[in-house]
Amino acid sequence: MATLSVELNRYFFEDERAETVTLADILTLAEERIFGFLLLILSLPSALPIPAPGYSIPFGILIFLLAVQLIAGAKIPWLPSKMMNGSMKTETARKFVKMGLPWLIKIEAITKPRLSYVCTSVTGRLIIGIAIALMAISMMIPIPGTNTAPAMGIFVTSFGLQEDDGFITLAGLTICLLAGVVSTSIIIAFIWGGSSIIDMIKQLLSGN
């Protein structure tokens, strides 16, 4: 089976495409890797260090639905047909994929099946599902700083899930934990005022 980066490159840049692309269209690449693949595709726009206005909330909702199914032990994911058939301009999708491909290639270079029980066991998938669900909730909060890091955690975790690489998945879960701490700090600071963890770190580094 070709790597995900190769399949995405072929799909978006080598083959002819219509002006719009749907999630259902992209899923033709997934085969048996569909859970991890879906989470990768949906987290990619928000995980990139560029603004992704309009995508964090709807994609966060889809990721949350998938996470709940992971927690419930589902083997095949389900999403509403309206969401599966929702379209995005192909040119917009190409921009996200083009920026994400270098990251994919780097992760693929160090990915291999190891500690697979982390990705395949009931307990492992339960923990993964809970972590991704919490990160998806953070993605849906319209406060600056609560979207990108959680999406990065989901991206790395789901890449490991797709490849049965427990080591990468654990790295992704660590990112999720750190992102959760930062997001919680930002939310608390936004609601009650005061300094977030990020503000404190900036002050510490500046020597003030």
Side-chain angles (χ1 to χ4, degrees):
M1 183 185 299
T3 61
L4 180 58
S5 61
V6 170
E7 292 179 345
L8 286 174
N9 185 71
R10 175 185 56 77
Y11 186 87
F12 283 104
F13 300 105
E14 295 179 6
D15 297 345
E16 291 293 327
R17 293 288 155 221
E19 292 185 0
T20 61
V21 61
T22 67
L23 185 57
D25 293 333
I26 299 174
L27 286 184
T28 58
L29 306 177
E31 299 183 11
E32 75 273 10
R33 306 175 298 183
I34 190 165
F35 251 119
F37 185 89
L38 268 172
L39 291 166
L40 273 170
I41 293 298
L42 293 171
S43 62
L44 177 59
S46 296
L48 295 171
I50 58 171
Y55 293 113
S56 288
I57 293 177
F59 284 7
I61 293 172
L62 292 175
I63 290 170
F64 182 80
L65 290 175
L66 291 170
V68 170
Q69 293 173 61
L70 268 178
I71 294 170
K75 299 298 183 183
I76 300 175
W78 172 88
L79 290 174
S81 58
K82 184 176 181 180
M83 294 181 175
M84 290 290 288
N85 295 320
S87 62
M88 174 189 289
K89 289 184 178 179
T90 302
E91 191 58 35
T92 300
R94 282 185 177 133
K95 290 179 181 178
F96 287 131
V97 171
K98 186 175 182 179
M99 290 198 67
L101 280 176
W103 295 91
L104 278 175
I105 293 170
K106 289 178 181 179
I107 297 176
E108 286 171 347
I110 60 174
T111 301
K112 60 183 179 181
R114 52 190 163 178
L115 301 176
S116 298
Y117 60 87
V118 174
C119 305
T120 58
S121 68
V122 173
T123 302
R125 290 173 78 87
L126 175 64
I127 294 171
I128 291 169
I130 292 172
I132 290 176
L134 292 174
M135 294 301 98
I137 292 172
S138 182
M139 283 178 61
M140 292 184 274
I141 298 173
I143 299 176
T146 62
N147 309 128
T148 303
M152 289 177 63
I154 295 171
F155 182 85
V156 176
T157 300
S158 55
F159 201 99
L161 179 64
Q162 178 188 249
E163 301 294 333
D164 283 344
D165 190 332
F167 181 80
I168 296 296
T169 297
L170 290 173
L173 291 174
T174 301
I175 296 173
C176 287
L177 177 60
L178 296 174
V181 171
V182 172
S183 295
T184 301
S185 170
I186 291 172
I187 293 167
I188 292 173
F190 182 83
I191 295 175
W192 283 289
S195 298
S196 69
I197 289 176
I198 294 177
D199 295 325
M200 293 178 183
I201 293 174
K202 287 181 179 179
Q203 291 175 9
L204 183 63
L205 292 176
S206 64
N208 297 327

